[in-house]
Each structure stands twice: as structure tokens, then as C-alpha cells.
Amino acid sequence: MDAPIEITPTVWQLPFPVGHVYAVALPDDGYALVDTGLPGSAPAILDALAALGARPDQVRQIVLTHYHLDHMGSAADLVEATGARVLAGALEAPYIRGTTPEPTPVLTPAERSLHEGITAQLEAAGTPPPRPAEVDTVLHDGDTLDGWGEPVRVLHVPGHTPGGIALHLPESRLLFPGDLIGTDPDGRRAVLGPFNVAREQAVASFRRLAALDDVDTVCVPHGVPLRTGARDILAAATPDTDWR
């Protein structure tokens, strides 16, 4: 993993080859993490936090946007290392806890070869399945997060998974969209994330996020974060035709 990248004075991207993690400084001298990367990522995440001057016990919250391998993969390890509370969408909690089998994504032809390639790479790397993690707080649409120093609105955005969430920080004009929004390698185009369980729902959720007024920065898990011109880039997106 490369060094943390400052997005705002309180938000850093922890860049991974698959599934970026974001660290957020909290006003009580603590930190929150948005997602946790693949299984086995915890040491790199803790090293990145140390580079920011943070100890493991300063991690207060781990917010999981959804249950996929590259988002919840290191949650259990990080909870053991930090004592942080895990927050996730109410409909995602059974999958994160490991009490309910994950639904299978409905792949388009364009997605199928990408999915097969990523799966082969993970298998070749010996990536283990994620350990189940307890969800301490379940989140619903319209909830707000405590302790962040500014309002954080939880948005229920189904389609990629049944209960995925996004986080909107209107004062910072910043959005954590989960996998609904990705970008191309140069960060000039926004695309619908692939591997959705309900494509039409995912497109509707994408459009809901794209219509938010108070967004200048989009912290995508895959691709390059949108840091300039985000509103125009999202308005120009054509999620209906992506991955066809």
C-alpha cells in the first residue's frame, strides 16, 4: 500500500490495489475507518494510521458500506486490534456477521470476464475468505453518525448489495458512495460499480447520489477520488449503459 493521501484536512485515502480504505480524524482525537480492504489488510491499515500519528486504540468506529470481501475483509482483525465499534446498514448486518449466505450478483456479459479475472487473481494470491464481524450499530436511511464533528447523513442505497449505505457530509461537501460509484483511471469519468445484485436498483441509487447538491468530493473505493468538478462528472455519468 502507498502512503496515505490527504483528501481534506480530516480525511485520508489509504490506497490499496483492490478496495481503498478511508480514515477520518474525529474531534475527540480519535479516528473512524470507512471500509477495511481485503482480508489481511489490517497490518497495512494500522501502519498507515501510525504514519498519521494514530495509535490503534484511537480507532473508534469502523463503518462498512457493504459486505463484499474488499470492504469488510479486515474488519474482524481491526476490531481485535483497536476495540472499535462496527457500524453497517441494517440489511447488510446478517452477511457481515456470517449468519446469512451472501446473494449472488447478477452479471452482465461485460461484467462476467472482469469478475472471473478478479476472482482468479484473488485465488492466486491466496486471499482467504473474510472472518465474520459483529455489527454493533445497524444503520438506516436518514440516520446520522455520532462523534464526527459535523453532520454525517446515512443513505440507504440498495442495488449493489441489498443494504449498502453511503455517507454524506454536507458541510464538507463530501460523499463516501460505497461501490455504487467508481471512476476511470484518470478520475474524469464516473461509472456505475459492477457486480450488482439488482442492477435497476443500483442505477436508481447511483442517480440519487449524483443528484445530491452538497457534494464536491467523492471518495470512491475503486478508482481515483473525485476532488474537482464532482457535480459535473456525476451529472454527465450514464450508469444505465455501464457494463453492458
Side-chain angles (χ1 to χ4, degrees):
M1 185 187 74
D2 294 332
I5 298 170
E6 182 177 309
I7 302 297
T8 75
T10 58
V11 176
W12 294 265
Q13 179 196 26
L14 312 185
F16 282 90
V18 178
H20 306 314
V21 177
Y22 290 89
V24 181
L26 304 178
D28 67 350
D29 200 34
Y31 287 81
L33 295 174
V34 180
D35 292 325
T36 66
L38 289 168
S41 300
I45 292 170
L46 294 173
D47 285 347
L49 290 170
L52 299 176
R55 304 183 310 273
D57 64 2
Q58 289 177 273
V59 181
R60 314 275 192 246
Q61 299 178 18
I62 297 169
V63 184
L64 300 177
T65 59
H66 60 291
Y67 63 76
H68 282 160
L69 176 79
D70 52 334
H71 293 262
M72 70 157 286
S74 294
D77 293 344
L78 286 167
V79 168
E80 290 179 356
T82 67
R85 295 166 47 241
V86 175
L87 300 83
L91 295 181
E92 297 292 285
Y95 309 118
I96 294 168
R97 291 169 174 152
T99 59
T100 302
E102 298 178 4
T104 302
V106 181
L107 303 177
T108 68
E111 291 174 326
R112 192 169 304 280
S113 60
L114 177 63
H115 189 270
E116 290 172 353
I118 292 173
T119 299
Q121 290 177 3
L122 294 175
E123 290 177 351
T127 306
R131 293 171 55 203
E134 182 52 57
V135 176
D136 301 291
T137 301
V138 296
L139 301 170
H140 302 85
D141 191 65
D143 285 350
T144 56
L145 300 188
D146 297 327
W148 281 50
E150 66 175 290
V152 182
R153 183 183 173 207
V154 176
L155 304 176
H156 170 59
V157 284
H160 184 64
T161 61
I165 59 169
L167 303 179
H168 181 210
L169 286 63
E171 288 184 5
S172 294
R173 302 181 65 86
L174 185 144
L175 176 69
F176 296 101
D179 270 355
L180 279 167
I181 299 175
T183 61
D184 61 8
D186 61 7
R188 295 182 180 178
R189 178 174 176 259
V191 297
L192 177 72
F195 315 146
N196 301 295
V197 299
R199 181 182 172 85
E200 290 185 4
Q201 273 193 333
V203 170
S205 292
F206 182 109
R207 293 201 179 283
R208 180 187 183 190
L209 296 181
L212 292 171
D213 289 328
D214 300 326
V215 173
D216 291 329
T217 303
V218 183
C219 295
V220 297
H222 302 280
V224 179
L226 299 178
R227 303 174 67 174
T228 58
R231 293 286 294 117
D232 290 340
I233 291 172
L234 292 177
T238 54
D240 306 82
T241 61
D242 291 335
W243 304 110
R244 284 299 194 184

